[in-house]
Structures are given as C-alpha cells and as structure tokens.
Amino acid sequence: MQMLKNGTAQTSKRIITIFGIIILLFLSSFFSACLKKKAILETDKSRVNFDNFTDQISLQVRNSGFATLDWEAYGNQSWFQLSKTKGDLDENQQEEIIITAKRDGMEEGIYEGQISLTSNGGSLNIQVVLNNGLFEIRFFNASYTPVDMRLDNDSSAIIPASQYGFFTFVEPPETVYYNARTSGVSSNGSRLGYEIIWDDVLSIDPLDDSPLFILNVPSNYFYLEITNNAPNIIGPVYVNADSDFEFRENVLINAGAATGMGYYNALKGGEIRIYYDDMTQSNFWFEGEGYFLSNAQNQLVSITNIIGIDTLRQKKQGASKTIVPSKH
C-alpha cells in the first residue's frame, strides 16, 4: 500500500511538471508573438545642423522592430524640404530622407525648425538648425559618444558622435575658450569608464569663413564595445583588470545583445574580464592576445563573446576580434 501511494505521488508530480512545462511554453510563445508584432521607429540623428556650406543632409529612418513600420514625416518650416514624407519598412529595414535647405531670400541669422516623425512604432522629433551668413566656428566630434560643449560666451551644444556642430558670431572673435566633455553612459545614466575632457583656448583666423576643429580622443585611451553571442547573460565587466586603473562596470549584457561601454586606459598588457553566473565564472581577454591597441587617436576595441556556459570554466577561451581604426 505504501508503494502504491509513492507511485501515485510520483505520477502526480510528473503530471504537474509536464503541465508546468506546457504552461511555460505557451506563455513563451505568447509573449514572443507579442514582441514580433511590434514595430520600432528609430533615426540616425536627433538634430540636423546646416552650416554655411551645407544645403543637403541625409536622415535615415529605421525599423528596429519585427512588424511593418508605417511612418510619416512633416517639416514645420518652409525653408527646408523633405525628399520623402511617408513610407513603410519591414523589420530591420531603413530608408533615407534628404533634407534640403532653401536659402533664397533669407536674411542673415540663425533659423530653427523641426521635423515630426509619427508611426505605428512611436514618434520622434528632429531639431533642424540653419546658419545663414553669420561667422561660425565648427567642431567635428570624432569620438564614439556625444560631446557636451560650452564656449566662453555661454553658448552650448551637444554634438552627436561622428557629427558636426557649429557656433555662430556676429563678428569673428580673436580667441575662443571652450570646454567639452564626453563619456560612456550605462542604461541607468551612470558614467562608464573615464570622462574625456577638452579644455582649450583657440586662436581664430578672421579670414577663414568657417574654421573647423576636430575633437579627438587621445591615443592613451580606447573605447570598448562588447557583443555577447553566448546563450547566457554576462556581467559585471572589469577593464584594465589587476592594474592600478581597474574599472568595475556593473552592466549586464543579454544574450545576442551588443553594447558600447566607455573610455579606458590603453595599457599594453591590460586585461578585460567578464563574469557570468553570479560571478562564479569569468572570461578573459589580454591586450596583445585577445585584442590589440594601435596607439591611434579615437581607437576602438570591439570584443565578441561566443563562449557557451559549459566552457566558461576554462580561462582564456574567449574568442574575440578587435577593430582599431583611426577615425577621420
């Protein structure tokens, strides 16, 4: 009789377990289907700057979701035109809008407008700024993160990565003091790595209609990005590990996700260490072995983690690739 009771209990446990698995599979399928039905609107710019020498700028509209994206665009000023005002995009597709400035009949000055994008995957507003004839000083942000700039006349701007920003003056100044800052930022807004700071006084040539200055990150730093192709979540991340400059970054990177980190010391022989499974296992990349630094301005280290959970106990098994271009 006792054996019968035990057998019945075991059968019941199996039924409950199977029932639970079915419920989990159903919920997983349901939420997966919901996610696949979502379209997501994105653009490659949040601000468009027309300096004195630019009359056309490209804006990329992207669908980073899994459903068809239906979008429309509207410009609120007559001095710029859009090459396209509506469209539809399948998942992971993008298309280009050419923004053209119409300067005929415009007086000298700064003009501001806005492009409003609406869609079934969200809405975005793109600021449009045009300088028509005023003296300007241009800055190119060669770093991988947005730069927050301020000049001594209290004018300020945020210049996105790999884009230009400009500051205008009624008359050419002899000198300009500027302070600019950038850093990597986590999803919760905390800083990652070092803050890069530019602080300088520039001599201005009045004969140059639009002097250009480039904001380069010096070669003693590198920018780190990580792609996680492993089936498990990774984090936290240690950079320049076991050195006097070690950073512990409390970030988590999901399976299949990529994230930009921050700026770190370009130390020969430095180490990048990533933890898994509540910090019970780790993986390592060593400079000169898992990645290489080229002693170049604006250098990037890109690491791809492809280790499965069963092999993480073996140190130095991390597959990686490194890209270290000098951006121009």
Side-chain angles (χ1 to χ4, degrees):
M1 182 64 68
Q2 184 64 35
M3 292 179 61
L4 181 60
K5 288 182 179 179
N6 290 340
T8 302
Q10 291 176 358
T11 301
S12 299
K13 288 180 180 178
R14 290 194 189 97
I15 292 173
I16 292 171
T17 302
I18 293 171
F19 181 73
I21 292 172
I22 292 172
I23 293 295
L24 287 174
L25 289 174
F26 171 78
L27 290 174
S28 175
S29 176
F30 173 77
F31 286 115
S32 177
C34 289
L35 288 173
K36 289 183 179 180
K37 292 180 180 178
K38 186 177 181 181
I40 301 175
L41 172 68
E42 290 185 350
T43 58
D44 66 333
K45 299 178 179 69
S46 59
R47 178 186 172 103
V48 174
N49 292 315
F50 286 99
D51 58 32
N52 277 325
F53 305 100
T54 304
D55 287 330
Q56 286 192 332
I57 296 177
S58 169
L59 177 70
Q60 297 292 331
V61 180
R62 292 191 296 260
N63 176 18
S64 59
F66 297 97
T68 299
L69 177 76
D70 297 311
W71 64 270
E72 292 188 9
Y74 168 75
N76 69 348
Q77 299 293 334
S78 60
W79 52 263
F80 68 87
Q81 295 180 352
L82 307 179
S83 64
K84 194 168 187 178
T85 58
K86 63 174 62 177
D88 56 80
L89 294 169
D90 292 332
E91 60 182 88
N92 295 320
Q93 284 190 336
Q94 66 179 30
E95 57 186 321
E96 182 181 56
I97 300 175
I98 301 297
I99 309 165
T100 302
K102 301 293 185 180
R103 299 178 186 265
D104 293 344
M106 297 180 71
E107 297 181 354
E108 280 191 356
I110 297 297
Y111 294 80
E112 296 186 2
Q114 181 175 281
I115 299 170
S116 298
L117 285 162
T118 59
S119 76
N120 60 327
S123 300
L124 293 171
N125 292 321
I126 311 299
Q127 186 179 11
V128 183
V129 180
L130 179 141
N131 174 31
N132 193 53
L134 295 180
F135 184 83
E136 64 187 13
I137 300 174
R138 294 183 297 157
F139 291 88
F140 178 71
N141 177 12
S143 70
Y144 292 91
T145 47
V147 166
D148 189 351
M149 288 199 66
R150 183 172 294 277
L151 271 57
D152 53 4
N153 63 356
D154 288 332
S155 57
S156 62
I158 295 177
I159 307 176
S162 302
Q163 291 191 34
Y164 291 88
F166 64 82
F167 297 86
T168 57
F169 301 81
V170 176
E171 298 290 340
E174 293 183 2
T175 60
V176 169
Y177 164 77
Y178 76 95
N179 179 276
R181 299 167 181 267
T182 191
S183 69
V185 180
S186 69
S187 58
N188 65 10
S190 60
R191 195 185 81 192
L192 298 176
Y194 284 102
E195 183 179 45
I196 305 298
I197 299 175
W198 298 266
D199 195 76
D200 199 4
V201 176
L202 304 173
S203 296
I204 305 302
D205 182 358
L207 300 179
D208 188 345
D209 291 336
S210 183
L212 171 64
F213 301 94
I214 300 177
L215 301 171
N216 287 305
V217 175
S219 59
N220 52 325
Y221 296 96
F222 71 92
Y223 184 73
L224 174 65
E225 64 179 20
I226 300 172
T227 300
N228 179 25
N229 288 339
N232 48 305
I233 297 174
I234 62 176
V237 177
Y238 285 74
V239 186
N240 299 141
D242 298 329
S243 76
D244 293 338
F245 304 99
E246 180 174 84
F247 278 84
R248 172 178 172 164
E249 307 292 16
N250 293 312
V251 297
L252 297 176
I253 306 174
N254 292 322
T259 184
M261 297 288 291
Y263 298 96
Y264 304 93
N265 283 290
L267 301 175
K268 292 299 180 181
E271 179 184 328
I272 299 169
R273 183 169 73 240
I274 299 177
Y275 280 90
Y276 305 74
D277 298 340
D278 296 325
M279 298 192 67
T280 61
Q281 302 185 69
S282 59
N283 198 10
F284 295 78
W285 290 264
F286 297 96
E287 198 283 320
E289 180 180 340
Y291 65 93
F292 296 89
L293 297 172
S294 61
N295 194 34
Q297 292 180 328
N298 311 305
Q299 58 185 332
L300 167 71
V301 169
S302 182
I303 289 177
T304 302
N305 179 60
I306 59 173
I307 293 303
I309 195 167
D310 293 334
T311 61
L312 292 176
R313 293 180 177 82
Q314 303 177 32
K315 289 185 179 181
K316 296 170 62 175
Q317 292 298 308
S320 63
K321 63 179 181 181
T322 303
I323 308 171
V324 284
S326 177
K327 295 179 64 178
H328 299 286

